[in-house]
Amino acid sequence: MGDDRVVTESVRGRPTMKDVAEAAGVALKTVSRVVNEEPGVNPATAARVTAAIERLGYRRNESARVLRQGRTATIGLVIEDVADPFYSGLSRAVEDVALRHGSLVLSGSSGEDPRRERELILAFCSRRVDGLVIVPAGTDHDYLRPELDAGIAAVFADRPGGLDADTVLCDNAGGAHAGVSHLIRHGHRRIAFIGDSASIFTAGERLHGYRRALREAGLSFDPSLVATGPAEQAGPALNRMLSGDAPPTAVFTGNGRITVAVLRTGHRPALVGFDDFELADLLVPGVTVVAQDPVRLGRTAAELLFRRLSGEQGTPERVELPTRLIPRGSGELPG
């Protein structure tokens, strides 16, 4: 016990394998064999090493181990906003897949800022991540070419990037088309579109779906019924539309945050929102939504990334996941 106390008190910072060897009175190689579960160690000696490991609180240096194998067992994830419920679902799915492959996830939010996105990605690359899942904020990703040439794999999720790389999307245009067509079938002819900035790929695709649904129904496109921008502008935009000479009888909202902003105005026109959100089914009437599956999106992107990391070759894939319309009452109000 006296020798153990001296060794323990001599340890500075995180215990090393050398500290364990001194505490157990064995060679460094013996500790290495026990830690890595290699054969050839006498059971009594192995028990003594294990006891020393527990007393000192030694933990194997996983970073050094995987670096010796040529991999860091980490991937980088860049999303728009970790506080957004959609992206939190996507992030958790990526983490679950990474965990199954023995990897950790480094994540960060770009805040829709292409410069911040670039800084995050290059910071992850400098830490030698094996791969990247990116929800792109911008369209210029030439800075990634040297990293891809060096062996880092990358998958774009939710939006396409500026490189010919694996991409996993949802059917944004098709989902918006289904939601607006649903309102038209319930007798609405003046349907507003309130969405995110049209420069964002998903928002632009949803606007295309809205316009296609109007065109196919023989309805004219009225720019005064369209508002795009941050969620905090959604309420004032709806108020302006409803105070006009020919107000809309229905609204299609472009994402969950905008749907909530519209509901907070207190107005209750017929409504279909893109993205499901918590408590949407408990409101009166319940909110009809076009639901996409962020968990499936994140899982599909991560699984594709790890297939590439395992050596799968071939031309880049573009996967488009379906959406589904969930009627709950707000989208079924008559026109």
Side-chain angles (χ1 to χ4, degrees):
M1 286 293 295
D3 290 343
D4 288 341
R5 185 179 63 254
V6 171
V7 172
T8 301
E9 291 174 350
S10 72
V11 173
R12 295 291 184 270
R14 181 177 296 174
T16 66
M17 198 176 291
K18 181 179 179 182
D19 296 323
V20 174
E22 292 177 0
V26 299
L28 188 61
K29 181 62 177 177
T30 302
V31 177
S32 177
R33 286 175 175 165
V34 173
V35 168
N36 292 295
E37 300 178 351
E38 297 175 4
V41 180
N42 179 279
T45 302
R48 197 162 71 247
V49 171
T50 300
I53 288 172
E54 292 176 355
R55 285 197 305 274
L56 296 179
Y58 169 77
R59 295 292 180 271
R60 180 168 61 180
N61 187 335
E62 292 292 334
S63 296
R65 181 178 67 86
V66 296
L67 280 171
R68 285 194 296 271
Q69 297 173 347
R71 295 273 295 277
T72 62
T74 58
I75 64 171
L77 170 64
V78 178
I79 56 178
E80 177 198 344
D81 182 2
V82 70
D84 186 319
F86 176 85
Y87 289 113
S88 63
L90 184 154
S91 299
R92 176 58 186 269
V94 171
E95 289 178 359
D96 287 346
V97 174
L99 184 63
R100 291 204 306 269
H101 287 82
S103 291
L104 297 176
V105 178
L106 305 178
S107 62
S109 302
S110 69
E112 292 293 3
D113 183 346
R115 182 171 60 181
R116 184 173 176 180
E117 173 206 281
R118 173 175 177 157
E119 290 172 353
L120 278 170
I121 290 175
L122 292 180
F124 291 157
C125 290
S126 72
R127 285 161 176 76
R128 298 184 61 183
V129 295
D130 300 317
L132 295 159
V133 174
I134 304 166
V135 176
T139 57
D140 180 6
H141 293 93
D142 282 344
Y143 65 87
L144 256 180
R145 293 187 187 277
E147 309 299 336
L148 299 181
D149 291 342
I152 289 179
V155 175
F156 292 112
D158 194 40
R159 312 165 185 175
L163 294 175
D164 189 18
D166 293 317
T167 305
V168 183
L169 310 172
C170 288
D171 184 10
N172 294 282
H177 176 273
V180 176
S181 297
H182 185 73
L183 290 168
I184 293 171
R185 285 194 298 272
H186 283 82
H188 296 280
R189 297 298 178 265
R190 298 279 294 170
I191 303 172
F193 176 94
I194 304 178
D196 215 331
S197 171
S199 63
I200 298 172
F201 171 80
T202 50
E205 287 293 292
R206 292 166 196 177
L207 182 56
H208 288 323
Y210 163 82
R211 297 189 65 163
R212 179 161 64 90
L214 295 180
R215 185 171 61 251
E216 291 178 358
L219 301 176
S220 60
F221 172 74
D222 185 348
S224 70
L225 294 182
V226 174
T228 58
E232 55 266 24
Q233 297 177 9
L238 178 61
N239 289 332
R240 286 195 302 271
M241 293 177 188
L242 292 175
S243 63
D245 293 335
T249 62
V251 179
F252 181 82
T253 49
N255 63 44
R257 286 178 293 183
I258 290 174
T259 304
V260 171
V262 163
L263 291 170
R264 282 178 174 158
T265 66
H267 298 300
R268 291 295 182 266
L271 171 67
V272 174
F274 204 109
D275 285 339
D276 205 359
F277 61 97
E278 192 172 3
L279 304 182
D281 58 330
L282 298 182
L283 298 174
V284 180
V287 181
T288 297
V289 298
V290 174
Q292 52 183 339
D293 189 342
V295 172
R296 184 179 177 187
L297 180 65
R299 182 173 61 245
T300 303
E303 288 173 346
L304 182 52
L305 178 69
F306 279 100
R307 291 209 312 269
R308 296 301 188 186
L309 291 175
S310 68
E312 183 176 304
Q313 303 295 316
T315 57
E317 293 187 26
R318 183 184 177 100
V319 180
E320 188 171 84
L321 302 177
T323 59
R324 63 190 181 101
L325 182 73
I326 305 176
R328 293 193 178 116
S330 70
E332 293 70 58
L333 297 175

